[in-house]
Amino acid sequence: MTRPLLITDCDEVLLYMITHFRDWLAEDEGVAFDMGHGEFYRSMRRIATGEPIEQDEMWALLNKFFDGQMHRQTPVEGAVEAIAAIREHADVVVLTNLLDFRRDARRAQLAGHGIDVRVFTNQGPKGPALQAILDEYRPSRAVFIDDLSQHHGSVFEVAPQVRRLHLCAEPLVAPHIPCAHEAGHAHARIDEWDRALPWLLESLTCEEKDLQANE
């Protein structure tokens, strides 16, 4: 029988991004970032004028960050240790929404922090990309982690048999995003790795009937 498989997002799950992006925007780009304003691009304003950033400029700034500032990113508390513990029982891959040419940089970035795993890049909803990973690995069971509700919805539509954990480790973001568990698209919402690890190990190693009995 093939091993279980964990498919996990990276930013705000394994590595902090938003806080480092915010600091870089203020230091180098003259832009203030405040998630309290709602949608991501609406949270960015020119410090000098207070003018909001247009959506196309937001994408340009994000690309600029990932092109030259990924070295700023730091591991989420407990993530490195949790992934090491999970790898004793299951395969682990990363499914991250970055342009494909950044795949090697992301893998090297993660390896430099002690998470040396295969990386898949994607653009848009993650359900189809996850299904392609399942088709390749054919795991005995699979679990998906992401910080954004829409990706849980996509996976729910494409591969409802996959266990889904909504985890957003960044306190600046977590209170402002829709909850996939409340929407019915994730089996649980846990934002700290020390609490998430037991749930993940159980989901990866227990039989489905045992999981259902515990819910």
Side-chain angles (χ1 to χ4, degrees), residues 66-125:
F66 285 118
D67 282 337
Q69 303 297 322
M70 288 172 67
H71 63 274
R72 289 176 174 255
Q73 293 186 254
T74 52
V76 166
E77 184 176 354
V80 175
E81 297 81 2
I83 294 299
I86 290 167
R87 292 182 76 183
E88 295 180 8
H89 305 276
D91 293 326
V92 178
V93 301
V94 167
L95 176 58
T96 182
N97 263 18
L98 288 178
L99 295 173
D100 294 338
F101 73 86
R102 296 194 179 103
R103 180 186 296 113
D104 291 344
R106 172 118 288 177
R107 180 164 188 176
Q109 176 194 36
L110 285 165
H113 290 298
I115 303 175
D116 189 5
V117 297
R118 190 175 177 188
V119 172
F120 294 84
T121 48
N122 179 67
Q123 300 83 48

Side-chain angles (χ1 to χ4, degrees), residues 153-203:
S154 177
V155 170
F156 173 74
E157 292 179 0
V158 173
Q161 77 279 10
V162 172
R163 298 277 291 177
R164 299 172 299 282
L165 173 64
H166 190 172
L167 188 159
C168 180
E170 175 49 65
L172 290 179
V173 177
H176 303 290
I177 56 176
C179 178
H181 184 232
E182 292 178 358
H185 295 152
H187 293 89
R189 169 75 183 265
I190 309 173
D191 289 338
E192 301 84 25
W193 273 101
D194 61 344
R195 294 194 303 115
L197 180 57
W199 187 95
L200 289 164
L201 289 174
E202 182 179 37
S203 294

Side-chain angles (χ1 to χ4, degrees), residues 132-148:
I133 295 170
L134 295 179
D135 291 343
E136 177 179 343
Y137 278 79
R138 299 192 178 279
S140 55
R141 58 185 60 84
V143 176
F144 172 68
I145 308 175
D146 206 278
D147 66 314
L148 296 179

Side-chain angles (χ1 to χ4, degrees), residues 14-56:
L14 302 177
L15 302 179
Y16 291 113
M17 192 281 283
I18 286 294
T19 51
H20 302 296
F21 181 59
R22 176 202 62 189
D23 294 346
W24 169 74
L25 285 174
E27 294 165 8
D28 292 6
E29 300 295 329
V31 173
F33 182 92
D34 181 1
M35 275 299 293
H37 289 294
E39 291 184 61
F40 192 87
Y41 76 95
R42 296 184 188 276
S43 299
M44 300 164 61
R45 297 176 179 272
R46 291 286 173 197
I47 293 173
T49 64
E51 290 185 41
I53 297 296
E54 297 296 331
Q55 197 163 10
D56 58 348

